[in-house]
Amino acid sequence: MNMRSLSSSSSSSPATVTKLALSIHSSFPTLNLNPIFFYKFKSNKHNKPPFFSIRNCTTSNSISAKPSSQLRKNRSSNSDSDPKLTALRRLFSKPDVSIDAYIIPSQDAHQSEFIAQSYARRKYISAFTGSNGTAVVTNDKAALWTDGRYFLQAEKQLNSNWILMRAGNPGVPTTSEWLNEVLAPGARVGIDPFLFTSDAAEELKHVISKKNHELVYLYNSNLVDEIWKEARPEPPNKPVRVHGLKYAGLDVASKLSSLRSELVQAGSSAIIVTALDEIAWLLNLRGSDIPHSPVVYAYLIVEIDGAKLFIDNSKVTEEVDDHLKKANIEIRPYNSIVSEIENLAARGSSLWLDTSSVNAAIVNAYKAACDRYYQNYESKHKTRSKGFDGSIANSDVPIAVHKSSPVSLAKAIKNETELKGMQECHLRDAAALAQFWDWLEKEITNDRILTEVEVSDKLLEFRSKQAGFLDTSFDTISGSGPNGAIIHYKPEPGSCSTVDANKLFLLDSGAQYVDGTTDITRTVHFGKPTTREKECFTRVLQGHIALDQAVFPEDTPGFVLDAFARSFLWKVGLDYRHGTGHGVGAALNVHEGPQGISYRYGNLTPLVNGMIVSNEPGYYEDHAFGIRIECPDTILLDHQVCIRWKFCLQCGPHLAA
Amino acid sequence: MNMRSLSSSSSSSPATVTKLALSIHSSFPTLNLNPIFFYKFKSNKHNKPPFFSIRNCTTSNSISAKPSSQLRKNRSSNSDSDPKLTALRRLFSKPDVSIDAYIIPSQDAHQSEFIAQSYARRKYISAFTGSNGTAVVTNDKAALWTDGRYFLQAEKQLNSNWILMRAGNPGVPTTSEWLNEVLAPGARVGIDPFLFTSDAAEELKHVISKKNHELVYLYNSNLVDEIWKEARPEPPNKPVRVHGLKYAGLDVASKLSSLRSELVQAGSSAIIVTALDEIAWLLNLRGSDIPHSPVVYAYLIVEIDGAKLFIDNSKVTEEVDDHLKKANIEIRPYNSIVSEIENLAARGSSLWLDTSSVNAAIVNAYKAACDRYYQNYESKHKTRSKGFDGSIANSDVPIAVHKSSPVSLAKAIKNETELKGMQECHLRDAAALAQFWDWLEKEITNDRILTEVEVSDKLLEFRSKQAGFLDTSFDTISGSGPNGAIIHYKPEPGSCSTVDANKLFLLDSGAQYVDGTTDITRTVHFGKPTTREKECFTRVLQGHIALDQAVFPEDTPGFVLDAFARSFLWKVGLDYRHGTGHGVGAALNVHEGPQGISYRYGNLTPLVNGMIVSNEPGYYEDHAFGIRIECPDTILLDHQVCIRWKFCLQCGPHLAA
């Protein structure tokens, strides 16, 4: 039985829904047992931007609050020897390295949410496979920070040489606080500067400077790669493909032309683009370097009169080569990015750098090259020119222009063709989901025992039959009963549960198609849900509908609408501990910025006509059940309409629209 | 016919209301004719904090957008001579003055919303009587800035020597931009430093420094007072009274004790309180120095082991004297505040200063005295101590602690006794309003011709018969038909309209009682309202009810709830150009902070149990009608309930609560 029948007992029509809210309103006194509160999460600046938070929250009150100090006592850090740690530490004392600690983050050089195995250094060094974690190795200690989703998993995967740092728990220091605690003052802390955004590296530098530690940028090699050697997977090298005009809607020349106007307006003569989805969008290219994201590893520099794509040439087909030539884009080796950045400064180019996304290696290389330029300039002109801070543009000296990437916003505002592709792929995706739910309902009704993974695999089978299917857009969250309450649950073949006909089943999944990207969550019950489950489901659905039907003034940031999605839960003292919506790419990343709908008030990006943003309120009762209802919505000038308007499985009101 | 019958045709029950919204939802195409947008107002930092904005917005699209430059051409600035301006300019060249321009703001030394006539210098010098305006006089020009509410009035009241600056209109410079435009570089701009907050003076200084102008603090006298001479009203000198424990709920010793704990926690040893309502609240005193606000002109310094009240001694009755002595508070002359501030620094006291409310004279005096202390200290100790910025507290040197006033928040969170007083005075106030509406309905039904002022006077008559009545809490806004669309309309005897039985009538009024303060708005129609009027009224009422019934998590700032009040208007492309709620004092100012409910996202103050905040959505159709529905609500831990729960004239749902 699908969701429609689940909610039918109290009817999903708004009028009845309001009545329900009022009848519950009269039982307020019970609220004292159930006080209303927000769970606030310490933001992890080095990881995902706020709109990714929905995949980043801790999920449970049951996380251990043991301070790490106590944990450390239970582990004798030198009892076993870890050959990887030993090999890594041996490199610390090399003359061109000379460090006391090394930080290994999860990220690649582009701050991608999903990364190629070749760049999964933190996973290699620590054996911890979770998506979020930072490893720090000193001469006598090794520690790994991860969030509440992964505490149990990390406990199992880390060997006894590792200290598990339960990030966000009381008393657990941050990586930099811990370095200040364990290192003797004046230590040298090494990083691969390609793996940190400039902002993150600057913050790290600032904090550890309190103990006179120095942050050392090791440009020449990644120390983990050095010990990984032959075992390291090759960097991905699958061919790039052109994302045709019939999907992109706008040719590269037009996109570059708009970008160049923005460069001129900002007083810059070049921009470095490092986010892989921004490069893919701008150049109408797609790739297969990373699971779930149809992007390709590359850097892009756009100047007023030309552009250079830094990419492994072996991936560039003849078609792609022609496509790039047409747009006057030259190809350069991926690894020559830093020297080209230095050339730009030497030529006096003022470079637009988004320090919140561009890595420290590039920002620092430009800064150093500018300084050399100024010294040279001064010795010639006997006057000090404006420096790197770029407060005033000066036509003959290079100046960094620190602004958010203009490509991010341009990419988020979909054109007609992209919107059409998104609608069409959602229709096919919805057809696959309809087949899947029909199949699942029959199987469960016939008492078939199916695991969460089997069910997820079957969904993939249905989806992969649809035209233009390429990949899933993220790991399917298929959670029965209590597993549904684990917001980022990933079922594993050996250990996952079966889909219980008498429990709620939450399925959050999506796909990459040639013409668009989907991200859909449905929560269903195949038997008789409890009164509690029905009430919670109805309230989540009320919130979903309230947000879906929201009409709001231009220039409204997403967070203004967030309360609409929560208010029905709030009325009975409930809430959910994640944001309500994130941007969705058009045949690109399933999570994209800059917009979002969240209870965090920092994101002031207005919702703009043509943006796509998910609408996914939920409710999670630990150890019992989870509910989430998600559709991607399109922001239209006068009102907001769910783009699954015809095949939306649950959003009844849209069937008539 | 009162409001209940106005809305009865579509019923005010939430279920029906939702249906109405849906039926209108289906007529979306008409929205293209009526695009949704916010009117954004340039905030006037030198005037009211954001929660006062409801009395500060421009009200009409019909305001002239003529640039002031064009206006200036139409006026020959030297054709008439203005004896006040001549006298003022004569003072510019005195040796101890020596300035090229003088700025005369509306404010008193305490940034009060309402001020005593004695301090109405801007009104005296310019003849402009509006509540908001800044006059700037140079050697050959005089200009007055005011907002859209007052453009017509200022045009009438200013003589031809004055340039009217329509603040907020395109092309109209700010005062500091204008000074940079009209003065030769390196000019001296004089101010009375008591009349500017420290933050406002610093900003002014920063902007005019771009043209190398110097901001000159004229401590010794206010130049307007010098020319005003005998004609200047005496400063108010009515006796102060004790606000008894039966109204205050907490004695002065307890309040001071809590404040002193906060001082210690903040690393300070003294605090200067300058906001008159904060002093009145902290010391359980009330006064009659200012219309509408039961406060007294004074400064207060609280130290760890004592406190000093700076006040005109003639206002201090024996009872008040005893009351203060009991709390170990000494009395000092009002004008000795600066020398005492200097003494504090000289004694090494670290002073808590809220630079957003404390005036520049006091902040600067402390800073200068600290500098003298440091010089003396250095010459003794041969080391440089920490400076005025107060980054690290040091027990033996004076340091400024820059933080928001802790009294403001303590005052805003009402105790049980204050809440009881507010409820009781609202009951009596509602009784007066019921008598008034009954009277008015009969009069109008009998075709009596009544002006807006006559009606307002009658309301005062009813109110003044209620026990404990003291004053109105602001000038009554009594607006028939199009006058209702003027958000801050003040009817004047000679020029006001009559109350038209066939138009909407908006009445926003409130009173000061011995036990509390009220602020209520009702909009009624005595005949047959149009379909448009009914629809708009219903939507405003829906918003009022939605906000009133909102339940939300702890730590929610007011702006999160703002959209609840607007969403029903938004659905048909309408909005209102003011905030939704402001704090209301308990037998204190009708507008108080720090909380507020507004579409401005800057106020992060969480709504806390015990706060009172108005709930006043509206809708204004220029030249046609205005609608506003306002009750003050109390924030309770689990939900929000209108405190007029039994006598609320229109909030039906509360009658049953």
Side-chain angles (χ1 to χ4, degrees):
Chain A
M1 146 176 138
N2 74 10
M3 214 33 43
R4 202 180 304 286
S5 44
L6 175 63
S7 63
S8 66
S9 63
S10 61
S11 166
S12 67
S13 93
T16 316
V17 144
T18 313
K19 268 187 201 154
L20 175 69
L22 286 175
S23 71
I24 289 160
H25 188 272
S26 64
S27 66
F28 261 126
T30 60
L31 281 179
N32 294 328
L33 302 171
N34 211 350
I36 304 170
F37 56 101
F38 268 147
Y39 297 79
K40 280 196 174 161
F41 297 99
K42 201 164 176 185
S43 70
N44 186 342
K45 281 188 98 176
H46 296 204
N47 287 309
K48 306 291 179 300
F51 61 91
F52 289 132
S53 62
I54 190 158
R55 314 224 168 266
N56 236 348
C57 299
T58 60
T59 59
S60 164
N61 283 328
S62 66
I63 51 174
S64 160
K66 253 185 228 173
S68 60
S69 55
Q70 194 176 329
L71 192 80
R72 258 174 275 154
K73 281 178 204 154
N74 298 338
R75 293 165 178 270
S76 55
S77 62
N78 294 312
S79 62
D80 305 317
S81 80
D82 179 321
K84 290 177 191 168
L85 289 177
T86 308
L88 182 66
R89 286 173 179 142
R90 203 171 294 138
L91 298 177
F92 284 14
S93 52
K94 279 175 63 179
D96 57 341
V97 175
S98 183
I99 56 173
D100 304 293
Y102 192 60
I103 307 179
I104 307 119
S106 301
Q107 280 71 35
D108 63 18
H110 307 268
Q111 301 292 313
S112 309
E113 182 179 15
F114 306 112
I115 63 172
Q117 286 306 311
S118 174
Y119 303 121
R121 284 114 175 180
R122 194 263 306 139
K123 178 176 155 193
Y124 171 74
I125 192 74
S126 69
F128 167 62
T129 59
S131 68
N132 178 33
T134 302
V136 182
V137 179
T138 68
N139 277 309
D140 59 353
K141 290 185 178 63
L144 181 119
W145 279 254
T146 189
D147 64 64
R149 288 176 285 168
Y150 293 119
F151 292 164
L152 287 174
Q153 180 182 336
E155 276 174 27
K156 283 183 199 157
Q157 294 180 325
L158 296 176
N159 70 35
S160 65
N161 293 278
W162 287 87
I163 304 167
L164 172 59
M165 293 293 195
R166 294 171 172 81
N169 274 13
V172 175
T174 63
T175 51
S176 42
E177 285 166 358
W178 184 73
L179 285 167
N180 283 354
E181 196 181 301
V182 300
L183 297 178
R188 286 167 57 89
V189 177
I191 61 168
D192 178 342
F194 287 93
L195 306 186
F196 288 76
T197 67
S198 174
D199 286 352
E202 286 299 320
E203 195 190 321
L204 178 60
K205 196 163 141 180
H206 172 72
V207 177
I208 65 173
S209 72
K210 290 174 188 165
K211 272 289 182 85
N212 281 325
H213 302 319
E214 188 187 344
L215 189 66
V216 181
Y217 287 5
L218 298 171
Y219 267 88
N220 295 331
S221 77
N222 183 291
L223 301 192
V224 176
D225 293 355
E226 279 194 48
I227 62 166
W228 206 346
K229 290 182 182 149
E230 293 73 31
R232 184 181 172 211
E234 284 294 311
N237 61 355
K238 294 208 186 116
V240 186
R241 59 192 160 86
V242 174
H243 188 60
L245 252 187
K246 66 174 171 173
Y247 304 129
L250 204 61
D251 63 23
V252 179
S254 307
K255 290 181 180 178
L256 288 178
S257 166
S258 304
L259 177 59
R260 282 168 177 141
S261 305
E262 297 214 48
L263 294 191
V264 171
Q265 275 198 313
S268 60
S269 49
I271 184 168
I272 166 81
V273 186
T274 67
L276 301 186
D277 63 336
E278 294 183 18
I279 297 172
W281 178 83
L282 194 59
L283 302 188
N284 291 346
L285 292 179
R286 294 295 185 269
S288 313
D289 284 356
I290 295 181
H292 311 311
S293 297
V295 295
V296 58
Y297 277 101
Y299 294 104
L300 177 69
I301 291 173
V302 177
E303 295 183 79
I304 300 301
D305 54 358
K308 293 189 182 84
L309 181 66
F310 299 79
I311 189 170
D312 176 354
N313 206 15
S314 72
K315 299 179 199 174
V316 180
T317 64
E318 204 168 314
E319 186 201 6
V320 168
D321 197 46
D322 286 351
H323 171 80
L324 292 173
K325 276 203 182 100
K326 247 186 254 167
N328 192 25
I329 297 164
E330 297 169 51
I331 293 175
R332 292 279 183 279
Y334 180 74
N335 288 329
S336 68
I337 182 65
V338 168
S339 63
E340 181 58 27
I341 290 286
E342 290 168 341
N343 287 345
L344 273 176
R347 295 203 311 270
S349 263
S350 288
L351 184 64
W352 186 330
L353 292 150
D354 182 343
T355 54
S356 72
S357 66
V358 176
N359 67 49
I362 288 175
V363 175
N364 220 50
Y366 183 70
K367 185 178 187 312
C370 285
D371 283 343
R372 288 192 294 275
Y373 186 102
Y374 305 146
Q375 280 162 13
N376 192 25
Y377 186 96
E378 271 179 84
S379 62
K380 270 193 213 155
H381 296 78
K382 307 278 177 207
T383 67
R384 178 82 177 112
S385 60
K386 278 280 163 191
F388 184 75
D389 68 342
S391 50
I392 295 172
N394 184 329
S395 60
D396 65 350
V397 296
I399 291 168
V401 176
H402 293 284
K403 290 184 70 172
S404 297
S405 166
V407 185
S408 172
L409 185 64
K411 171 177 58 61
I413 300 171
K414 272 64 177 166
N415 61 42
E416 289 297 318
T417 310
E418 288 170 325
L419 287 176
K420 190 163 158 279
M422 286 295 273
Q423 287 172 359
E424 288 182 354
C425 82
H426 273 82
L427 286 182
R428 300 196 305 277
D429 196 66
L433 274 166
Q435 292 173 317
F436 165 81
W437 287 116
D438 176 58
W439 166 83
L440 184 60
E441 190 170 11
K442 282 181 186 146
E443 294 291 308
I444 299 283
T445 315
N446 292 329
D447 295 329
R448 267 288 304 280
I449 304 297
L450 292 165
T451 67
E452 294 160 339
V453 169
E454 283 165 347
V455 157
S456 163
D457 288 347
K458 190 71 185 183
L459 173 58
L460 178 57
E461 191 185 315
F462 283 116
R463 273 201 168 111
S464 58
K465 286 178 191 157
Q466 289 295 331
F469 174 85
L470 298 170
D471 192 359
T472 52
S473 58
F474 56 96
D475 285 324
T476 296
I477 299 171
S478 160
S480 176
N483 291 342
I486 302 170
I487 297 174
H488 298 282
Y489 179 64
K490 185 186 174 186
E492 299 288 350
S495 58
C496 71
S497 302
T498 57
V499 177
D500 189 329
N502 296 308
K503 288 179 179 161
L504 281 171
F505 174 60
L506 186 155
L507 185 79
D508 186 351
S509 68
Q512 292 291 353
Y513 295 92
V514 69
D515 49 351
T517 305
T518 69
D519 182 3
I520 300 295
T521 310
R522 294 294 178 266
T523 308
V524 299
H525 200 293
F526 300 95
K528 196 172 154 48
T530 65
T531 307
R532 173 75 174 171
E533 286 168 339
K534 283 196 281 189
E535 188 196 325
C536 294
F537 184 90
T538 303
R539 290 185 178 279
V540 173
L541 181 60
Q542 284 173 292
H544 181 96
I545 293 171
L547 179 59
D548 188 81
Q549 301 204 330
V551 179
F552 46 88
E554 283 188 83
D555 294 330
T556 299
F559 68 78
V560 171
L561 308 182
D562 182 74
F564 290 144
R566 296 178 198 272
S567 62
F568 300 92
L569 289 164
W570 283 354
K571 281 201 186 292
V572 290
L574 306 179
D575 202 353
Y576 50 94
R577 289 159 275 162
H578 58 69
T580 302
H582 57 80
V584 181
L588 264 175
N589 290 356
V590 72
H591 297 145
E592 69 171 24
Q595 79 276 19
I597 298 176
S598 169
Y599 57 85
R600 293 188 180 93
Y601 316 126
N603 186 344
L604 294 172
T605 310
L607 296 177
V608 173
N609 192 29
M611 280 179 173
I612 291 176
V613 65
S614 72
N615 170 358
E616 48 181 313
Y619 174 69
Y620 310 92
E621 202 140 292
D622 288 339
H623 316 301
F625 62 84
I627 295 162
R628 188 157 65 248
I629 304 172
E630 177 186 20
C631 296
D633 281 1
T634 308
I635 309 297
L636 299 180
L637 186 61
D638 278 334
H639 62 303
Q640 203 183 21
V641 169
C642 173
I643 61 169
R644 296 175 73 87
W645 79 107
K646 273 182 182 159
F647 281 78
C648 194
L649 294 173
Q650 290 158 5
C651 299
H654 285 301
L655 289 172
Chain B
M1 160 168 128
N2 74 11
M3 214 31 43
R4 203 182 304 284
S5 45
L6 175 62
S7 63
S8 65
S9 63
S10 60
S11 167
S12 67
S13 93
T16 315
V17 144
T18 313
K19 267 186 200 154
L20 175 68
L22 286 175
S23 72
I24 288 160
H25 188 272
S26 65
S27 66
F28 260 126
T30 60
L31 280 180
N32 294 328
L33 302 171
N34 212 348
I36 304 170
F37 55 101
F38 267 147
Y39 298 79
K40 280 195 175 162
F41 297 98
K42 203 164 174 184
S43 70
N44 186 342
K45 281 188 98 175
H46 296 206
N47 287 310
K48 305 290 178 300
F51 61 90
F52 288 132
S53 61
I54 188 156
R55 315 228 165 263
N56 236 347
C57 300
T58 60
T59 58
S60 163
N61 283 329
S62 66
I63 51 175
S64 159
K66 253 185 229 175
S68 59
S69 55
Q70 194 177 330
L71 192 81
R72 257 172 277 156
K73 280 176 204 155
N74 299 338
R75 292 167 177 271
S76 55
S77 61
N78 294 310
S79 62
D80 306 318
S81 81
D82 180 320
K84 289 179 193 168
L85 288 177
T86 309
L88 182 65
R89 286 172 178 141
R90 204 172 294 135
L91 299 177
F92 283 14
S93 54
K94 279 175 62 178
D96 58 340
V97 175
S98 182
I99 55 173
D100 304 293
Y102 192 60
I103 307 179
I104 307 119
S106 302
Q107 280 71 34
D108 63 18
H110 308 268
Q111 300 293 311
S112 309
E113 183 180 14
F114 306 112
I115 63 172
Q117 286 307 312
S118 174
Y119 302 121
R121 285 112 175 181
R122 193 262 307 139
K123 178 176 155 192
Y124 171 75
I125 192 75
S126 69
F128 166 62
T129 58
S131 68
N132 178 34
T134 302
V136 181
V137 179
T138 68
N139 277 309
D140 59 353
K141 289 186 179 64
L144 180 117
W145 280 254
T146 189
D147 63 65
R149 288 177 284 169
Y150 294 120
F151 292 165
L152 288 174
Q153 180 181 336
E155 276 175 29
K156 283 184 200 157
Q157 295 180 326
L158 296 176
N159 69 35
S160 64
N161 293 278
W162 287 87
I163 304 166
L164 172 58
M165 293 293 195
R166 294 170 171 81
N169 273 13
V172 175
T174 63
T175 51
S176 41
E177 286 165 357
W178 185 73
L179 285 167
N180 283 354
E181 196 181 299
V182 301
L183 296 179
R188 285 168 56 89
V189 177
I191 62 167
D192 178 342
F194 288 93
L195 305 186
F196 288 76
T197 67
S198 174
D199 285 352
E202 286 298 320
E203 195 191 320
L204 179 59
K205 196 163 141 180
H206 171 73
V207 177
I208 65 172
S209 72
K210 289 175 188 165
K211 271 288 183 84
N212 281 323
H213 302 320
E214 188 187 345
L215 188 66
V216 180
Y217 287 4
L218 298 171
Y219 267 88
N220 296 331
S221 77
N222 183 291
L223 301 192
V224 175
D225 293 355
E226 280 194 46
I227 61 166
W228 205 345
K229 288 181 184 149
E230 294 73 31
R232 184 181 171 210
E234 284 295 312
N237 60 356
K238 294 209 186 113
V240 187
R241 60 192 158 86
V242 173
H243 187 58
L245 252 188
K246 65 176 173 173
Y247 305 129
L250 203 61
D251 63 24
V252 180
S254 306
K255 289 180 181 179
L256 288 178
S257 166
S258 302
L259 177 59
R260 283 169 177 141
S261 305
E262 298 213 48
L263 294 191
V264 171
Q265 276 198 313
S268 61
S269 49
I271 184 168
I272 166 81
V273 186
T274 67
L276 302 187
D277 63 336
E278 293 182 19
I279 297 173
W281 178 82
L282 194 58
L283 302 188
N284 292 347
L285 293 179
R286 295 296 185 270
S288 313
D289 284 356
I290 295 180
H292 312 310
S293 297
V295 296
V296 58
Y297 277 102
Y299 294 104
L300 178 69
I301 292 173
V302 177
E303 294 183 79
I304 299 301
D305 55 358
K308 294 189 182 85
L309 181 66
F310 299 79
I311 188 170
D312 177 353
N313 206 16
S314 72
K315 299 179 199 173
V316 180
T317 63
E318 205 168 314
E319 187 201 4
V320 168
D321 197 46
D322 287 350
H323 171 80
L324 292 172
K325 276 202 182 100
K326 247 186 256 169
N328 192 24
I329 297 163
E330 296 169 51
I331 293 174
R332 291 279 184 281
Y334 179 76
N335 287 331
S336 68
I337 182 66
V338 168
S339 64
E340 181 58 26
I341 290 286
E342 291 168 340
N343 287 345
L344 273 176
R347 295 204 310 270
S349 263
S350 288
L351 184 63
W352 185 329
L353 294 150
D354 182 344
T355 54
S356 71
S357 66
V358 176
N359 67 50
I362 288 175
V363 175
N364 220 51
Y366 183 70
K367 186 178 188 310
C370 285
D371 284 343
R372 288 193 293 275
Y373 185 100
Y374 304 147
Q375 281 162 13
N376 191 26
Y377 186 95
E378 270 179 86
S379 63
K380 270 193 213 154
H381 295 77
K382 308 280 177 208
T383 68
R384 179 83 178 111
S385 61
K386 279 281 163 190
F388 185 72
D389 69 342
S391 49
I392 295 173
N394 184 329
S395 60
D396 64 351
V397 297
I399 291 168
V401 176
H402 294 283
K403 290 183 69 171
S404 297
S405 166
V407 186
S408 172
L409 185 64
K411 171 177 58 60
I413 300 171
K414 272 64 177 166
N415 61 41
E416 289 297 320
T417 309
E418 287 170 325
L419 287 176
K420 190 164 159 279
M422 287 294 273
Q423 288 171 358
E424 288 182 354
C425 81
H426 273 81
L427 287 182
R428 300 196 303 278
D429 196 67
L433 275 166
Q435 291 173 318
F436 165 80
W437 288 116
D438 175 60
W439 166 83
L440 184 59
E441 190 170 11
K442 282 180 185 145
E443 294 291 308
I444 300 283
T445 314
N446 292 330
D447 295 329
R448 267 287 305 280
I449 305 297
L450 292 165
T451 68
E452 293 161 338
V453 168
E454 283 166 346
V455 158
S456 165
D457 289 347
K458 190 72 184 182
L459 173 58
L460 179 58
E461 192 184 314
F462 283 116
R463 272 203 170 109
S464 58
K465 286 178 193 155
Q466 289 295 331
F469 174 86
L470 298 170
D471 192 359
T472 52
S473 59
F474 57 95
D475 286 324
T476 296
I477 299 170
S478 160
S480 176
N483 291 341
I486 303 170
I487 297 175
H488 298 280
Y489 179 64
K490 186 186 174 185
E492 299 289 348
S495 58
C496 72
S497 302
T498 58
V499 177
D500 189 328
N502 296 307
K503 288 179 179 161
L504 280 172
F505 174 59
L506 186 156
L507 186 77
D508 186 351
S509 68
Q512 292 291 353
Y513 295 91
V514 69
D515 48 352
T517 305
T518 69
D519 182 3
I520 300 296
T521 310
R522 294 294 179 268
T523 308
V524 300
H525 199 293
F526 301 94
K528 197 175 155 42
T530 64
T531 307
R532 173 74 174 171
E533 286 168 339
K534 283 196 279 190
E535 187 195 326
C536 295
F537 183 90
T538 303
R539 290 185 179 279
V540 172
L541 181 60
Q542 284 174 292
H544 181 96
I545 293 171
L547 179 59
D548 187 81
Q549 301 204 330
V551 179
F552 46 87
E554 282 189 82
D555 294 331
T556 299
F559 68 77
V560 171
L561 308 182
D562 182 75
F564 290 144
R566 296 178 198 272
S567 63
F568 300 92
L569 289 164
W570 283 355
K571 282 204 186 291
V572 290
L574 306 179
D575 202 353
Y576 51 94
R577 290 159 274 163
H578 58 70
T580 302
H582 57 80
V584 181
L588 265 175
N589 290 355
V590 71
H591 296 146
E592 69 171 25
Q595 80 277 18
I597 298 176
S598 169
Y599 57 83
R600 294 189 180 94
Y601 316 125
N603 186 344
L604 294 172
T605 310
L607 296 177
V608 173
N609 192 29
M611 280 179 172
I612 291 176
V613 66
S614 73
N615 171 357
E616 48 181 313
Y619 174 69
Y620 309 93
E621 203 140 294
D622 288 340
H623 316 301
F625 62 84
I627 295 162
R628 188 159 63 248
I629 304 172
E630 176 187 20
C631 294
D633 281 1
T634 308
I635 309 298
L636 299 181
L637 187 60
D638 278 334
H639 62 304
Q640 203 183 22
V641 168
C642 173
I643 62 169
R644 296 175 72 87
W645 76 109
K646 273 182 181 158
F647 281 80
C648 194
L649 293 173
Q650 291 158 6
C651 299
H654 286 300
L655 290 171

